[in-house]
Amino acid sequence: QVQLVESGGGLVQAGGSLRLSCAASGRTFSSYSMAWFRQAPGKERTFVARITRDGGGTYYANSVKGRFTISRDNAKNTAYLQMNSLKADDTAVYYCAALRFVPVIIPTANQYDYWGQGTQVTVSS
């Protein structure tokens, strides 16, 4: 059983940066791959980034490659999403997700085991 709580969202101007955090409960955090998804108003929830359980592998949506960086600190039971060079179309609710057993390189949203409540990121232009 894992509970996830996102934080760090807010309002930022285009071109700026923001770092999101995902704090996880439980003593088996290191057994889970962690990911970030986002959902803009009226849009479907889409994949942003994933990191393997040991942090050795990362995967990104093409729309954020070179701008976003996912990381984790297993000692702190926390995953992060560093967002740089933000654009107006990055505006969305960002969700943290955890997955124990990874069946494919880029799992779909419905394959994840646990989800946080989301944190709003608004990029103004």
Side-chain angles (χ1 to χ4, degrees):
Q1 189 71 33
V2 176
Q3 290 83 48
L4 306 174
V5 179
E6 302 96 332
S7 63
L11 176 64
V12 64
Q13 292 187 338
S17 299
L18 208 58
R19 189 180 77 161
L20 305 183
S21 296
C22 175
S25 66
R27 62 184 182 86
T28 58
F29 177 74
S30 62
S31 296
Y32 292 82
S33 179
M34 302 297 297
W36 290 93
F37 283 74
R38 65 187 182 186
Q39 186 167 23
K43 303 292 184 63
E44 295 182 341
R45 187 171 301 188
T46 59
F47 172 77
V48 175
R50 182 175 78 84
I51 188 167
T52 58
R53 64 182 65 185
D54 63 356
T58 57
Y59 309 91
Y60 298 92
N62 288 334
S63 60
V64 306
K65 285 181 179 178
R67 299 190 298 121
F68 290 11
T69 302
I70 187 171
S71 62
R72 68 189 297 160
D73 186 339
N74 287 348
K76 295 183 178 180
N77 279 199
T78 303
Y80 306 93
L81 184 68
Q82 178 66 47
M83 305 183 293
N84 298 325
S85 301
L86 284 162
K87 306 174 181 179
D89 57 7
D90 290 320
T91 294
V93 175
Y94 283 70
Y95 297 91
C96 178
L99 180 60
R100 177 64 177 85
F101 300 106
V102 183
V104 293
I105 298 300
I106 307 295
T108 57
N110 69 111
Q111 293 178 298
Y112 282 81
D113 298 318
Y114 303 101
W115 291 87
Q117 83 291 342
T119 185
Q120 176 71 48
V121 172
T122 302
V123 184
S124 63
S125 60

